[in-house]
Amino acid sequence: MPEQHDPSQAAAPTAPGAAVESAPEDPEPDPDASAVSIPSGARLVLATHNAGKLAELRAMIAAELPGLDVERAVVDAGSLGLPDVRETGTTFQANALLKAHAAAEASGLPAVADDSGLAVDVLHGAPGIFSARWAGRHGDDTANLELLLAQLGDIPDEHRAAGFVCAAALVTPEGAEHLEFGHLRGTLLQEPVGDGGFGYDPVLRPDGLDVSCAQLDPEHKNRISHRGQAMAALAPHLVALLSQGAPAAEPGEER
Ligand SMILES: O=P(O)(O)OP(=O)(O)OP(=O)(O)OC[C@H]1O[C@@H](n2cnc3c(O)ncnc32)[C@H](O)[C@@H]1O
Ligand SMILES: [Mg+2]
């Protein structure tokens, strides 16, 4: 089970340098039964267990690297059986780097991780890095959002400024790091609105818009979001890393 797997004990299935070129067709059997198995053609790991984030990151990478066969080349932490990393850092960037390093080491592939959250001005930046477990149970989006709304119940609109924050890290198996940030400022609504997106999307109305993030179509959200900005800044590094020897989506297709 993923929870029982310790990434620090996992043997990288390929030499780090070789993993960027291609993954082994037939990885050698590993004595550690929980060791990760890298699918053929995998070239990048998305080090997240959050399905909403994962869908956004995949769409962003597909847009930034149109020649990359994203289905084949981009794998995620869950499908590799990588465990959730304990987020022991005290900043978004520290946690993003922790997650990316753990995935890169365990897989032998470059890894992208994002640590993100909602920072509310009147709460001095909380929930911040605790956004995913604000109500006490990790990943309970509804409980997190309801607790936040209850806490701010008496706060009028003019004092409900808040913003999403994202630190996105790219780490290579050799340990090279790139880190980028993005922000999306807005106002917290009094009630959730919309059913798109994930997490706190139904309660943040971005500045300049009259809808919540959960009412935006995914492309619109990705264009303006904290994650979209951080990934756009990370893109040149991803392109540089993946454009050599990338399996083309189709023979002859433009890269
Ligand atoms: O650590 P990983 O496995 O990536 O998944 P996670 O859900 O734990 O991710 P974080 O530790 O970065 O916590 C981020 C939380 O902040 C919230 N969040 C981040 N980005 C968001 C977005 O684009 N829209 C809405 N909520 C978001 C959401 O509730 C997430 O659970
Ligand atoms: Mg997390």
Side-chain angles (χ1 to χ4, degrees), residues 88-111:
T88 54
T90 58
T91 59
F92 290 113
Q93 59 264 45
N95 285 332
L97 286 167
L98 272 175
K99 291 186 268 191
H101 272 286
E105 279 165 28
S107 67
L109 294 171

Side-chain angles (χ1 to χ4, degrees), residues 48-50 53 84-85 87 99 114-115 129 132-133 138:
T48 179
H49 291 270
N50 179 318
K53 245 191 218 187
D84 233 340
V85 172
E87 295 179 21
K99 291 186 268 191
D114 126 359
D115 200 60
I129 60 167
R133 52 181 182 277
H138 183 274

Side-chain angles (χ1 to χ4, degrees), residues 32-238:
D32 178 356
S34 62
V36 297
S37 162
I38 309 296
S40 169
R43 305 181 70 248
L44 178 72
V45 183
L46 294 179
T48 179
H49 291 270
N50 179 318
K53 245 191 218 187
L54 186 60
E56 292 186 4
L57 290 171
R58 279 187 167 277
M60 289 167 191
I61 288 170
E64 298 287 355
L65 286 132
L68 190 73
D69 180 354
V70 174
E71 283 306 311
R72 190 164 155 244
V74 178
V75 292
D76 64 272
S79 67
L80 292 184
L82 301 182
D84 233 340
V85 172
R86 285 187 65 216
E87 295 179 21
T88 54
T90 58
T91 59
F92 290 113
Q93 59 264 45
N95 285 332
L97 286 167
L98 272 175
K99 291 186 268 191
H101 272 286
E105 279 165 28
S107 67
L109 294 171
V112 166
D114 126 359
D115 200 60
S116 45
L118 180 69
V120 180
D121 290 11
V122 76
L123 295 177
H124 306 285
I129 60 167
F130 305 110
S131 293
R133 52 181 182 277
W134 190 236
R137 200 167 55 243
H138 183 274
D140 189 338
D141 286 354
T142 305
N144 289 337
L145 193 150
E146 281 175 358
L147 176 60
L148 185 72
L149 288 181
Q151 289 164 327
L152 298 181
D154 293 336
I155 304 297
D157 289 350
E158 62 266 32
H159 297 304
R160 295 176 76 93
F164 284 133
V165 181
C166 176
L170 168 63
V171 171
T172 69
E174 297 79 13
E177 299 173 347
H178 298 284
L179 191 64
E180 300 290 348
F181 295 87
H183 298 87
L184 178 63
R185 293 286 299 170
T187 301
L188 283 179
L189 301 174
Q190 302 279 353
E191 297 292 338
V193 182
D195 51 15
F198 66 97
Y200 298 88
D201 278 338
V203 292
L204 190 78
R205 188 188 67 220
D207 289 343
L209 299 179
D210 58 7
V211 293
S212 77
C213 287
Q215 291 173 290
L216 296 174
D217 65 58
E219 294 75 23
H220 190 168
K221 183 188 167 191
N222 291 349
R223 253 195 331 275
I224 63 170
S225 79
H226 50 311
R227 183 166 298 104
Q229 292 169 25
M231 288 300 290
L234 211 53
H237 302 292
L238 268 176

Side-chain angles (χ1 to χ4, degrees), residues 1-2 4-6 9-11 28-37 80-81:
M1 293 299 288
Q4 294 162 348
H5 178 72
D6 179 352
Q9 302 301 313
E28 281 187 18
D30 195 301
D32 178 356
S34 62
V36 297
S37 162
L80 292 184

